[in-house]
């Protein structure tokens, strides 16, 4: 009887798997003409890999705490692969996505990265979100000479030979935002509350901002740093303290709160009557996707700084959004027409196209060749600007936008840069980092050094 | 006008010409006055008009200019226009005409006041910069509003962002003000502005006024006043002012400490009510049935999702009743979770009685299944559960301590739920049977009570109460598939600390832990405060393993 | 054996258990690493680096599962903080690995990277000494052991048992997780310790180092198994098992439960620390999410799936469940949680004795289980009594044929 029950349980599992909605259509996408689509759910042993496709690895958490943010990146990556395949693929071959789920588990990220590179032999990987996940896969990529495109804004202080950073470095997001707040249009703030979640991105960003504020004449008395753990959801005392701190001088809050904690934080702000015009809050981790889960009416006027907003009015952005909505409909993704586009999705889109362009230019998917070709790439992004990939520090030149939250969850752009800004991988405001150079071209050929590797004639420091 | 003599003759110089001249002058002057008045009126009107035109411009700078223009135009209609702009009820039509929406939703032309049909149009570009101009200008106008609350709010705005230029307006308003509360507010705002004055006498007067008002929000300003720079000099040059500020500061400091303590207790009550809501259902299942339900967090989650579904349903079918969806969500969540609890009990839990450790594992597995099920149906993203408008905002109890309405509502809701559970257990026959089975199962069975059904009902009740907790939690935080996981450890600790079998123990434990956490938080930070609370609980359990309020038993081995 | 042991008839245990475990250890410790290093890549016998890493990781989990079985299957203590001990051992080894990075980190400083971005100027006192491998290894055993000893002493002395104990251990691991997530605590916060380069002078990227670590894990598993088996078969082990079944009676017989439980508990914690120390160099990162309450509950399910109280069962349980996890998160990412959840429910309801008992010992196993299920049906009426009865005590109804059931269920692992 027990064996019968065990068998029944196994059948139920299979039934449940079959009925799980969003994984089946979007995961493990194969090109439409491949007859092996039905049997393709398991990662094949290397020997059986078809040689007429180019494999692209997608390393994003589809379950666990980061699933909320990362599932959209997987979807937009698959959409871009479809777009490229529809135009004929690359080098005469179709692109094939290999999707794995590291489940927000950092050791599993390293394991899956190794699998993608060694077992599935992918040509490139698009993935990671948190700095922990990136740091845990970095040794794997450097050891196996893989290529990773990392699409999320981060704290800088890194430039790896094997990674292309398509998200913003602090000088492309945090610094312009603070300059805006200090300026007249932003309210002329003289006192700053640095509020963040307790991990490396807020810590490093706040360190950079503190040095920056010192350089602008703001004293330590007017800077207050506060950290809350992941998942913290009771901001009563913190918001009350901010109100006390703000008495007497124009104050602004710089929020690097990440993930779920944003919802209770903003609800508390709204309910305790903190108005955006009085004490503006600028966030670096809140975008259209995060606002989907919040009632945005109490937040009208709060700020966010990114390199892209869904409300940007350019023909390229309209086309991008239309393509995304069509993809969502065609694949019946959850939440249908409420899905939005945001900065990391745009960065994934740009990164994929740049990689595709580099492959076409190099004529091969070999990592070393593609890496060298990537430095020449320029792409007209949905933000309307021509984005270039910097061969020296492997970052993108990106424009900066500052937007105010609207009641419908979109952002109204109140300020933007004239053109794209070059990323500074090593912040010039931190004394130890200001000496470092990230330059993978001759003669420096390093991501983290104070002297050129090949010192000689014409060794010019270029940060 | 008098005729100056017969036509064709000049009157003699002797007396009539000066009178005639006077008449002419008076006539000219009055004509000029009338003309000027008309011109002025028209200029006023055109001031108002041109300001309105600026409002219709697409650039924020023009809008700001328009706002300032409206503020200085003196036109009585200006206040209404600016209020509409602030509240988002102003529409700019294609031709540049401006329409205001009133409370009923009908549109009126801003210039003529005439009502108008539905129009297509856009909202003017209002960003923070524009708001910074708008709010003080509007506040100055609102000081004359007939509504007391509006005058108070306007005074508050001027206190936050006013400058010396507002002092005359405030003094003017003070002279006309009859309401005591508003007078006191205006006096303290004037005092704050006076503190920055160059005249030491006025500063002294301001400090006296502040001392009289006793409001602690002046503490930072006063401490900055008595602050000593690194080189030994003071910010405040006059020693009399300094000593006056010092003494007022001392009394304010004492008051601040009291305020902080009360605030800590209030926040703690709010946090404790949340703990209690999440732990109450667990107290029922664990306390009365000795079943460890690790899936209890998922009952909270299901209740929150039931609220979300109710909201969606109301939005689709009863949009006019949207603000009342919360009341409908309560029974929906209760019934859904009771049904789920009954289902779980019948299929899994009933086979595991007497084996609490296995129950723990099995219910943990159930929680994983429920999370993944919800994730597959609703997606991994968080879903939006809106606060109904009557729950938005907060009440300032005193001195900067603002208690949001939704937290007050949660505390009240908790009390209602506890009363409900208490009534069920004490006042209904089901409760009687539950208590009987808990105390002595075989005897209860002998008395004819169907213990199987009572078990199912008890578990269902516990799960239902968890669902009610989820309704409240949906208003305060995120609603996502994994929301229950963050409440489960705390719920268990509350139940174990309170003592198994007594609901009163859980109540006291929940509020005690909430208050302790919130009182520690300003000193130790959020994380350390939490860790200290956890360690305190562990230590208390070490000392009293059966909890604070435990049922006395004679068994050698409890539980 | 002393006179306390009942007169025993023919061996009623699983004599095959030791052989099977030995075989597993040989495969894991010798065969897999050898086949990776010695055979060329194209050979059919070659074992890929991915497999070596995976095997090593799973073996560390198996060590934890055996340690869990010692306290749960034999001492009746369901601990939900074994993940904490595992992580503490991992952190000790991680601190050593961080120290030996030396000046090759991101910031080219003698301090670990995360201390540089926190603006710390010197090494905190609790990091001193970790540049020696031996010290780190000792700390990997000592720190979890000490924590377990202190906590256990107070807990057992207060007679906290059963579910209360489990809940309190959950609180302890949750508090520790919060503490380690704080960057200010000095262990790398959410990032944890990562970016390791060398161990004992050997580069961690070399296949030979990986193979050696896998072999070391196999050796660790063998050591753990033998140690636990020795403890369980000794007199102390018998007292322990008796305490699991009827603690009150054993106490009245004059034994002090605190000492025995504390011994098993501390030993188990130290073995978890050892597993953590072996785990971290193979995985390359240690961070506070290893201390999550869910990790500890999963450890319990490994032991339950394999078969509690058997010592060999949990080894299989660990391999099976974690291997399944690795495979499923690649093949059917969204199905993994369904499978895990169903596994929990099915195992506790249908196969409380675990797979080993279900499929071994031919008729004997089945009969035991049949009897057990019947016991449960009758026992449901008596709730609230002795909560730790994973195996049927023979003093309850034993409808199975009398020849197969001895006086007490002293199963030899």
């Amino acid at each position: 009887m027990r064996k019968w029950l065990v068998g029944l349980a196994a059948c139920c599992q299979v039934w449940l798997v079959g009925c799980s909605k969003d994984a089946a259509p979007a995961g493990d996408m194969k090109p439409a003409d491949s007859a092996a689509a039905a049997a393709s759910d398991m990662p094949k042993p290397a020997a059986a890999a078809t040689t007429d496709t180019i494999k692209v690895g997608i390393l994003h958490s589809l379950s666990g705490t980061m699933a909320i943010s990362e599932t959209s990146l997987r979807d937009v990556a698959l959409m871009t692969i479809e777009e490229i395949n529809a135009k004929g693929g690359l080098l005469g071959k179709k692109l094939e996505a290999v999707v794995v789920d590291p489940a927000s588990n950092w050791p599993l990220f390293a394991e899956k990265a190794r699998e993608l590179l060694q077992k599935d032999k992918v040509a490139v990987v698009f993935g990671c979100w948190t700095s922990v996940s990136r740091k845990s896969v970095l040794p794997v990529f450097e050891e196996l000479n893989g290529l990773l495109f990392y699409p999320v804004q981060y704290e800088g202080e890194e430039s790896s030979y094997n990674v292309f950073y398509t998200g913003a470095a602090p000088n492309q997001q945090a610094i312009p935002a603070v300059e805006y707040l200090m300026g007249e249009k932003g309210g002329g703030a003289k006192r700053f509350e640095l509020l963040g979640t307790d991990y490396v991105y807020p810590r490093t960003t706040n360190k950079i901002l503190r040095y920056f504020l010192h350089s602008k004449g703001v004293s330590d008395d007017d800077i207050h740093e506060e950290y809350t753990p992941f998942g913290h959801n009771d901001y009563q005392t913190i918001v009350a303290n901010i109100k006390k701190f703000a008495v007497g001088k124009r104050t602004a809050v710089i929020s690097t709160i990440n993930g779920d904690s944003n919802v209770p934080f903003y609800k508390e702000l709204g309910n305790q009557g903190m108005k955006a015009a009085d004490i503006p809050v600028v966030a670096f981790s809140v975008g259209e996707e995060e606002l989907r889960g919040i009632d945005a009416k109490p937040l009208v006027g709060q700020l966010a700084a990114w390199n892209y907003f869904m409300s940007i009015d350019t023909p390229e952005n309209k086309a991008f959004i239309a393509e995304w909505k069509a993809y969502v409909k065609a694949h019946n993704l959850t939440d249908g027409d409420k899905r939005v586009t945001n900065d990391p999705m745009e960065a994934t889109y740009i990164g994929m196209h740049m990689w595709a362009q580099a492959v076409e230019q190099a004529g091969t998917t070999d990592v070393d060749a593609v890496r060298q070709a990537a430095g020449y790439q320029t792409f007209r992004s949905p933000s309307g600007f021509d984005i270039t990939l910097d061969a020296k520090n492997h970052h993108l030149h990106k424009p900066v936008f500052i937007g105010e939250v609207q009641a419908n969850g979109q952002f109204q752009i109140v300020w933007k840069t004239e053109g794209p800004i070059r990323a500074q991988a090593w912040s010039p405001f931190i004394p130890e980092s200001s000496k470092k150079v990230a330059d993978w071209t001759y003669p420096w050929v390093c991501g983290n050094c104070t002297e050129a590797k090949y010192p000689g004639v014409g060794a010019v420091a270029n940060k | 006008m008098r005729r100056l003599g017969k036509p064709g003759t000049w009157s003699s110089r002797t007396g009539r010409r000066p009178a005639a001249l006077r008449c002419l002058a008076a006539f000219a002057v009055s004509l000029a006055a009338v003309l000027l008045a008309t011109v002025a009126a028209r200029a006023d009107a055109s001031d108002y008009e041109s300001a309105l035109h600026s409002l219709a411009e697409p650039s924020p700078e023009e809008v700001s200019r328009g706002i300032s223009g409206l503020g200085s135009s003196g036109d009585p209609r200006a206040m209404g226009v600016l209020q509409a702009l602030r509240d988002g009820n102003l529409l700019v039509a294609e031709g540049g005409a401006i329409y205001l929406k009133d409370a009923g939703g009908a549109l009126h032309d801003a210039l003529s006041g005439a009502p108008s049909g539905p129009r297509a149009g856009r909202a003017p570009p209002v960003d923070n910069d524009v708001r910074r101009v708008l709010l003080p200008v509007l506040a100055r106008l609102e000081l004359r509003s007939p509504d007391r609350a509006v005058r108070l709010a306007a005074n508050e705005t001027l206190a936050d962002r006013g400058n010396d230029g507002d002092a005359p307006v405030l003094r003017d308003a003070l002279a006309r003000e009859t309401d005591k509360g508003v007078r006191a507010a205006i006096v303290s705002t004037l005092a704050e502005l006076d503190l920055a004055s160059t005249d030491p006498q006025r500063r002294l007067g301001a400090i006296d006024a502040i001392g009289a008002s006793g409001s602690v929000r002046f503490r930072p300003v006063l401490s900055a006043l008595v602050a000593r720079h690194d080189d030994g000099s003071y910010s405040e040059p006059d020693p009399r002012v300094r000593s006056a500020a010092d003494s007022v500061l001392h009394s304010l400091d004492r008051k601040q400490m009291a305020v902080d303590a009360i605030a800590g207790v209030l926040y703690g009550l709010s946090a404790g009510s949340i703990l209690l809501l999440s732990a109450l259902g667990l107290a029922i299942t664990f306390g009365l049935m000795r079943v460890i339900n690790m899936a209890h967090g998922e009952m909270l989650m299901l209740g929150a999702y039931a609220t979300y579904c109710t909201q969606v349903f109301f939005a689709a079918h009863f949009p006019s009743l949207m603000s009342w969806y919360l009341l409908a969500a309560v029974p929906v969540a209760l019934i859904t979770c009771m049904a789920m609890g009954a289902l779980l009990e019948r299929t899994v839990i009933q086979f595991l009685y007497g084996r609490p450790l296995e129950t723990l594992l099995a219910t943990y597995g159930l929680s994983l299944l429920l999370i993944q099920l919800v994730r597959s149906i609703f997606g991994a993203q968080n879903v939006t559960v809106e606060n109904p408008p009557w729950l938005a905002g907060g009440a300032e109890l005193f001195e900067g301590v603002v208690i949001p309405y939704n937290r007050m509502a949660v505390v009240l809701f908790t009390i209602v739920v506890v009363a409900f559970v208490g009534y069920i257990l004490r006042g209904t026959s089901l409760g009687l049977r539950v208590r009987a089975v808990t105390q002595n199962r075989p005897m209860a069975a002998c008395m004819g009570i169907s213990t199987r059904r009572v078990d199912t009902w008890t578990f269902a009740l516990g799960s239902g109460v968890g669902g009610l907790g989820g309704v409240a939690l949906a208003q305060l935080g995120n609603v996502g598939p994994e929301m229950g996981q963050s409440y489960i450890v705390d719920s268990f600790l509350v139940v174990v600390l309170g003592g198994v079998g007594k609901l009163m123990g859980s109540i006291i434990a929940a509020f005690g832990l909430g208050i302790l956490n919130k009182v520690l938080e300003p000193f130790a930070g959020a994380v350390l405060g939490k860790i200290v609370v956890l360690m305190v609980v562990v230590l208390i359990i070490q000392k009293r393993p059966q909890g604070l309020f435990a049922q006395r038993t004679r068994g050698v081995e409890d539980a | 054996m002393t006179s306390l042991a009942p007169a025993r008839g023919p061996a009623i245990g699983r004599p095959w258990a030791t052989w099977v475990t030995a075989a597993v250890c040989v495969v894991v410790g010798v065969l897999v690493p050898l086949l990776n290093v010695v055979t060329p890549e194209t050979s059919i016998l070659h074992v890929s680096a991915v497999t070596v890493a995976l095997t090593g990781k799973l073996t560390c989990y198996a060590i934890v599962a055996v340690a869990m079985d010692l306290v749960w299957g034999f001492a009746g203590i369901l601990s939900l903080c074994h993940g904490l001990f595992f992580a503490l051992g991992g952190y000790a080894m991680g601190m050593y690995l961080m120290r030996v990075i030396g000046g090759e980190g991101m910031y080219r400083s003698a301090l670990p990277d995360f201390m540089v971005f926190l603006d710390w100027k010197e090494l905190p006192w609790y990091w001193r000494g970790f540049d020696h491998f031996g010290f780190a290894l000792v700390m990997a055993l000592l720190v979890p052991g000490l924590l377990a000893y202190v906590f256990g002493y107070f807990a057992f002395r207060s007679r906290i048992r059963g579910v209360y104990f489990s809940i309190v251990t959950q609180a302890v691991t949750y508090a520790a997780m919060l503490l380690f997530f704080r960057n200010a605590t000095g262990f790398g916060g959410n990032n944890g310790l990562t970016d390791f380069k060398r161990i004992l002078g050997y580069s961690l990227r070399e296949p030979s180092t990986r193979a050696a670590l896998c072999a070391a894990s196999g050796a660790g598993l063998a050591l753990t198994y033998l140690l636990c088996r020795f403890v369980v078969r000794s007199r102390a082990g018998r007292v322990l098992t008796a305490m699991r079944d009827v603690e009150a009676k054993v106490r009245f017989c004059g034994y002090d439960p605190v000492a025995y439980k504390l011994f098993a508990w501390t030993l188990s914690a130290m073995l978890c620390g050892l597993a953590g120390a072996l785990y971290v160099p193979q995985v390359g990162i240690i961070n506070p999410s290893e201390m999550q309450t869910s990790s500890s509950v999963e450890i319990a399910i490994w032991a339950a799936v394999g078969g509690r109280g058997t010592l060999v069962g949990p080894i299989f349980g660990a391999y099976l469940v974690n291997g399944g996890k690795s495979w499923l998160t690649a093949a059917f990412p969204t199905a993994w949680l369904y499978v895990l959840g169903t596994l929990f429910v099915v195992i506790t309801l249908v196969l409380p004795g675990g797979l080993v008992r279900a499929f071994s010992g031919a008729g004997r196993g089945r009969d035991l289980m049949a009897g057990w299920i019947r016991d449960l049906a009758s026992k449901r009426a008596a709730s609230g009594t002795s909560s730790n009865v994973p195996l049927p005590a023979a003093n309850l109804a034993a409808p199975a044929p009398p020849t197969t059931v001895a006086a007490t269920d002293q199963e030899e692992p």
Side-chain angles (χ1 to χ4, degrees), chain C residues 355-411:
Chain C
L355 290 172
V356 162
R357 283 206 191 81
F359 293 110
S360 82
R364 176 154 209 289
R366 260 179 272 144
D367 287 337
L368 263 179
M369 288 210 20
W372 189 3
I373 300 290
R374 257 168 290 184
D375 292 338
L376 288 177
S378 62
K379 231 177 32 154
R380 257 198 338 98
S383 60
T385 52
S386 180
S387 51
N388 289 321
V389 187
L391 301 169
N395 49 3
L396 291 181
T403 48
T404 56
V405 181
T408 60
D409 194 81
Q410 294 284 342
E411 297 224 6

Side-chain angles (χ1 to χ4, degrees), chain C residues 14-379:
Chain C
R14 277 173 291 274
W16 52 265
T18 321
W19 295 113
V20 166
T21 316
V24 168
C25 293
V26 162
V27 165
V28 164
V30 175
L31 219 60
V32 164
L34 217 59
L35 283 180
N36 171 257
V37 170
V38 164
T39 60
E41 269 202 32
T42 47
S43 154
I44 195 162
L45 285 175
H46 180 73
V47 167
S48 71
V50 175
T51 315
V52 169
L54 193 62
T55 315
K57 191 171 98 154
L58 294 186
T59 312
C60 294
Y61 287 144
I63 299 177
V64 176
V66 173
M68 180 65 148
D69 195 32
L70 179 65
V71 281
W72 189 24
F74 290 95
I77 306 167
L78 176 60
S79 152
L80 292 181
C81 66
H82 266 47
L84 173 61
F85 302 137
F86 180 70
L88 286 174
Y91 265 98
M93 181 57 70
M95 284 160 81
Y96 161 73
L97 293 171
M98 286 297 271
R99 289 293 303 271
V100 295
I101 293 179
E104 288 176 31
M106 198 68 79
Y107 290 99
R108 302 277 188 267
S109 142
L111 293 178
D113 285 343
F114 70 89
M115 293 191 192
V116 177
F117 79 69
L118 279 176
D119 250 351
W120 288 9
K121 299 291 178 243
E122 55 169 32
L123 215 56
W125 61 267
Y126 42 88
W127 275 76
R128 294 193 194 289
F130 275 95
D131 43 348
H132 302 287
F133 179 75
F135 181 77
L137 203 56
V138 165
M139 292 300 271
L141 294 173
L142 206 62
V143 170
L146 202 64
L147 176 67
Y149 186 83
V150 170
F151 175 71
Y153 176 70
F154 288 110
F156 298 136
R157 209 176 56 127
S158 312
R159 302 201 189 166
I160 304 178
R161 335 179 39 243
V163 281
Y164 294 101
F165 188 80
S166 310
I167 291 171
V168 171
T169 52
Q170 232 188 6
V172 169
T173 193
Y174 184 63
M177 185 183 83
L178 287 179
L179 192 66
F180 274 72
F181 264 126
R182 277 181 85 230
N183 270 294
T185 316
F187 291 103
N190 181 57
N191 267 20
L193 306 175
T194 180
D195 205 21
F196 305 132
K197 306 225 184 308
R198 272 182 301 279
I199 181 170
L200 282 176
Y202 300 103
S203 161
L204 279 170
R205 298 185 180 182
E206 287 295 313
S208 53
T209 321
R210 292 234 174 74
L213 284 168
C214 184
S217 313
L221 179 63
L223 172 71
T224 308
Y225 178 79
L226 289 172
L227 195 60
C228 290
R229 186 162 167 270
F230 175 71
V231 165
V232 160
R233 283 175 143 208
S234 71
R235 182 166 161 249
R238 296 195 168 280
V239 176
L240 210 57
T241 322
M243 263 176 221
R244 175 197 70 195
D245 292 338
V246 272
E247 181 170 331
K249 286 187 188 171
V250 175
R251 188 182 296 141
F252 295 151
C253 285
Y255 290 94
D256 177 16
V258 176
Y260 288 92
K261 282 187 178 178
L262 202 55
F263 169 68
W265 173 249
T266 313
L267 179 64
S268 175
M270 289 170 73
L271 290 172
C272 280
L274 175 69
L278 287 167
Y279 172 82
V280 164
Q282 301 191 61
V283 161
I285 178 173
I286 177 79
N287 102 323
S289 49
E290 299 285 352
M291 297 182 195
Q292 269 174 358
T293 48
S294 53
S295 317
S296 302
V297 181
E298 276 183 46
I299 297 175
I301 206 59
W302 304 339
V305 165
R308 260 179 298 154
T310 58
L311 281 188
V312 67
I315 298 179
F316 287 113
Y319 278 115
L320 217 63
V321 175
N322 287 297
K325 180 178 187 172
S326 282
W327 174 65
L328 278 171
T329 44
F332 305 101
T334 47
W336 163 241
L337 278 183
Y338 283 126
V339 169
L340 186 63
T342 322
L343 199 63
F344 271 85
V345 174
V346 163
I347 289 293
T348 45
L349 277 187
V350 174
L351 288 174
L355 290 172
V356 162
R357 283 206 191 81
F359 293 110
S360 82
R364 176 154 209 289
R366 260 179 272 144
D367 287 337
L368 263 179
M369 288 210 20
W372 189 3
I373 300 290
R374 257 168 290 184
D375 292 338
L376 288 177
S378 62
K379 231 177 32 154

Side-chain angles (χ1 to χ4, degrees), chain A residues 149-457:
Chain A
F149 276 76
Y150 175 69
V152 184
Q153 104 280 24
Y154 80 124
E155 68 279 4
E157 313 293 293
E158 189 180 303
S159 175
S160 166
Y161 197 42
N162 296 83
V163 181
F164 284 100
Y165 306 83
T166 51
N171 75 307
Q172 292 169 316
Q173 192 187 32
I175 307 264
V178 175
E179 281 177 335
Y180 173 77
L181 287 174
M182 290 173 83
E184 201 196 297
K185 271 218 90 182
K190 302 238 180 333
R191 192 174 271 175
F192 294 89
E193 166 95 7
L194 306 175
L195 181 62
T197 306
D198 192 2
Y199 72 110
V200 66
Y201 169 64
R203 290 250 175 205
T204 315
T205 307
N206 288 340
K207 186 174 164 184
I208 295 174
L209 285 178
R210 193 180 273 268
Y211 280 113
F212 173 72
L213 289 170
H214 286 169
S215 75
K216 294 281 179 188
V218 180
S219 76
D220 272 334
D221 289 332
D222 286 328
I223 305 176
H224 180 238
E225 259 180 87
E226 175 112 37
Y227 295 99
T228 53
F230 272 101
H232 187 73
N233 53 17
D234 197 337
Y235 282 92
Q236 297 181 85
T237 38
I238 291 179
V239 173
N241 284 343
I242 294 176
K243 282 164 77 174
K244 267 198 266 186
F245 184 56
V247 174
K249 253 191 196 174
R250 289 233 146 268
T251 307
V253 177
I254 301 177
S255 157
T256 33
I257 295 180
N258 200 342
D260 285 355
S261 300
N262 276 308
V263 173
F265 174 59
Y266 281 116
K267 276 194 170 152
E268 199 67 41
L269 278 183
N271 286 329
Q272 286 209 24
M274 246 175 72
K275 296 269 182 307
D278 288 329
I279 307 177
V281 176
V282 70
F284 300 139
S285 306
V286 172
E288 291 84 347
E289 189 73 36
E290 285 73 25
L291 286 183
R292 261 212 301 151
I294 307 179
D295 170 22
K297 283 195 277 303
L299 306 181
V300 169
Q302 304 292 6
L303 302 161
W306 289 103
N307 309 119
Y308 165 85
F309 283 112
M310 188 174 174
S311 55
I312 292 178
D313 192 10
T314 59
E316 293 86 5
N317 196 23
K318 290 200 168 41
F320 177 57
I321 295 173
E323 186 187 341
W324 168 245
K325 288 206 185 289
Y327 179 83
V328 167
K329 207 165 179 177
H331 291 268
N332 209 11
L333 300 183
T334 48
D335 264 351
D337 46 343
K338 294 213 213 86
R339 294 294 282 263
V340 293
T341 56
N342 65 9
D343 184 305
M345 288 165 73
E346 191 235 17
T348 307
Y349 184 72
I350 296 176
M352 267 202 166
H353 276 285
M354 286 198 163
W355 173 78
Q357 287 172 203
V359 166
E360 300 261 337
Q361 177 173 324
T364 162
T365 56
D366 171 60
V367 167
D368 292 317
V370 170
R371 182 177 20 237
Q372 300 306 326
Y376 292 89
Q377 301 314 318
T378 302
F379 181 74
R380 170 65 63 95
S381 79
S383 61
F385 288 85
D386 282 324
I387 310 278
T388 22
L389 183 59
D390 194 305
K392 292 190 193 258
N393 60 18
H394 284 193
H395 288 64
L396 290 182
H397 297 203
K398 304 188 93 172
V400 186
F401 296 87
I402 297 190
E404 275 186 20
V405 178
Q406 306 288 285
N408 61 354
Q410 289 293 316
F411 288 87
Q412 178 194 48
I413 295 168
V414 293
W415 181 83
K416 65 177 188 213
T417 48
E418 298 275 321
I421 298 184
R422 182 168 190 269
Q424 288 168 327
W426 296 98
S427 170
F429 296 102
I430 300 181
E432 302 94 39
S433 306
S434 59
K435 301 191 277 280
K436 293 190 206 265
V437 167
D439 184 345
W440 290 105
T441 61
Y442 189 89
W444 288 84
V445 197
C446 66
N448 175 358
C449 48
T450 47
E451 282 170 5
K453 193 168 171 188
Y454 304 104
V457 177

Side-chain angles (χ1 to χ4, degrees), chain B residues 355-421:
Chain B
R355 299 156 64 194
L357 297 180
E358 273 85 336
T359 323
L360 197 152
L361 292 180
T363 48
Y364 185 75
L366 287 172
S367 82
L368 291 179
L369 284 175
L370 285 171
I371 292 176
Q372 192 58 22
L373 197 66
V374 167
R375 197 180 275 143
S376 306
I377 299 177
F378 292 96
Q381 323 293 113
N382 288 347
V383 291
T384 325
V385 174
E386 294 186 6
N387 279 349
W390 44 276
L391 273 186
E396 175 154 358
L397 290 183
F398 51 84
E399 304 297 351
V401 176
V402 178
I403 304 290
Y405 288 129
N406 59 0
R407 282 188 183 270
M408 282 200 279
V410 167
V411 174
L412 286 171
F413 184 65
T414 311
I415 295 173
V416 165
V417 168
V418 170
F420 168 71
V421 169

Side-chain angles (χ1 to χ4, degrees), chain B residues 493 497 509 512-513 516-517 520 528-544 548, chain C residues 168 171-172 175:
Chain B
L493 289 181
L497 183 65
L513 287 181
L516 184 64
N517 195 358
L520 280 179
L528 274 184
K530 184 93 215 212
I531 294 175
V532 167
V533 168
L534 284 169
M535 289 298 100
V536 164
V537 171
V538 170
L539 286 174
I540 293 180
I541 294 182
Q542 304 266 24
K543 272 317 263 171
R544 278 181 70 97
L548 291 173
Chain C
V168 171
V172 169

